[in-house]
Amino acid sequence: LLWNDFLAHMEFLMDEGFLTRDGRLTEDGLWASKLRIDVPLMVAQAIRLNLLPDQDPALLAAIMASFVNEKEFKDDLLFEGALPKRLKTGFLDIRKGLKPFALKLLSSGFSAPNLFVQPAFLMYGWAHDTPWDELMTGADYAEGDFARLILRTAENLRQIAKIGDSFPNVAKTAALAVDMILKEPVITQYH
C-alpha cells in the first residue's frame, strides 16, 4: 500500500510538471520542494498561476489563512457585502483559479482544502490593525484558535519568503505579511 501510494504521488507530480519522467525535480519542483507548509501543492499551483497577491501583504496573509484553516464554515460573508472589495475579489480569484487543480487532486485520490472566507476576513482585519476584541466579537473562532491560526499562517508565510530566488515579489510580500500579523496579544514583546 505504501509503495502504491508513493507511485500515485509521483505520477501526479510528474503529470503536473514538478517531476520529470525519470523522477528528477523540475525547476518548479525545486522551488516547490522548499515549501514546508500545510498544503504545498495548492500553494505552489497558486504561485505558478500568479494567483497569490504579490504587492499586498495583508491580502496575502488573508489568503494564506484560508489555506491554513482547519475549521468548516458556511461562508455567508461572501454574500452579505461584509467583505472589503479587495479581499472579496482576491479570495474569489484564488478559489476560481485553483478549482481545476483541486478537482485534479481530488480525482487522483488526494485531499484538497476547502477555502473559506471567514479566516481570510479575520486575518485581513488583523493585518489592518482591527482591534482583537472587535475581531473576536461574533467570530466562529475561540481566541486561542485564532491565535493559533495567526501563528500557523505566519509560519506558512515565512516558508514562502524563502523562495525569493524564484519569486522575489511574493517572497518579499510574504515577509512583510509576517510582520503585519505577528503582534500583541499573539506575540508579546518584553522590554
Side-chain angles (χ1 to χ4, degrees), residues 33-124:
S33 70
K34 296 176 186 174
L35 296 175
R36 307 282 193 261
I37 58 178
D38 289 7
V39 285
L41 286 179
M42 290 287 286
V43 173
Q45 185 68 1
I47 292 170
R48 289 199 306 183
L49 296 175
N50 200 28
L51 294 172
L52 290 183
D54 64 1
Q55 301 293 317
D56 187 338
L59 185 57
L60 181 57
I63 297 298
M64 289 310 298
S66 288
F67 283 115
V68 170
N69 172 63
E70 294 178 336
K71 289 179 68 74
E72 296 283 326
F73 297 99
K74 292 182 181 170
D75 257 0
D76 294 332
L77 292 174
L78 271 175
F79 306 104
E80 292 176 3
L83 294 179
K85 184 177 184 200
R86 190 173 184 95
L87 175 60
K88 185 174 184 176
T89 300
F91 182 79
L92 290 174
D93 286 349
I94 200 132
R95 214 186 217 182
K96 180 181 176 187
L98 288 177
K99 185 176 182 177
F101 188 74
L103 292 173
K104 280 185 198 176
L105 278 168
L106 294 170
S107 68
S108 296
F110 305 115
S111 63
N114 285 323
L115 299 180
F116 293 101
V117 76
Q118 188 169 154
F121 177 70
L122 292 172
M123 193 66 66
Y124 193 73

Side-chain angles (χ1 to χ4, degrees), residues 2-13 15 108 110:
L2 184 58
W3 180 248
N4 289 337
D5 190 46
F6 172 79
L7 291 176
H9 277 85
M10 196 166 164
E11 185 68 30
F12 185 84
L13 293 172
D15 290 346
S108 296
F110 305 115

Side-chain angles (χ1 to χ4, degrees), residues 53-62 124 127-128 157 172-178 180-181:
D54 64 1
Q55 301 293 317
D56 187 338
L59 185 57
L60 181 57
Y124 193 73
H128 282 294
L157 289 164
K172 180 181 177 185
T173 303
L176 293 171
V178 171
M180 292 177 84
I181 65 173

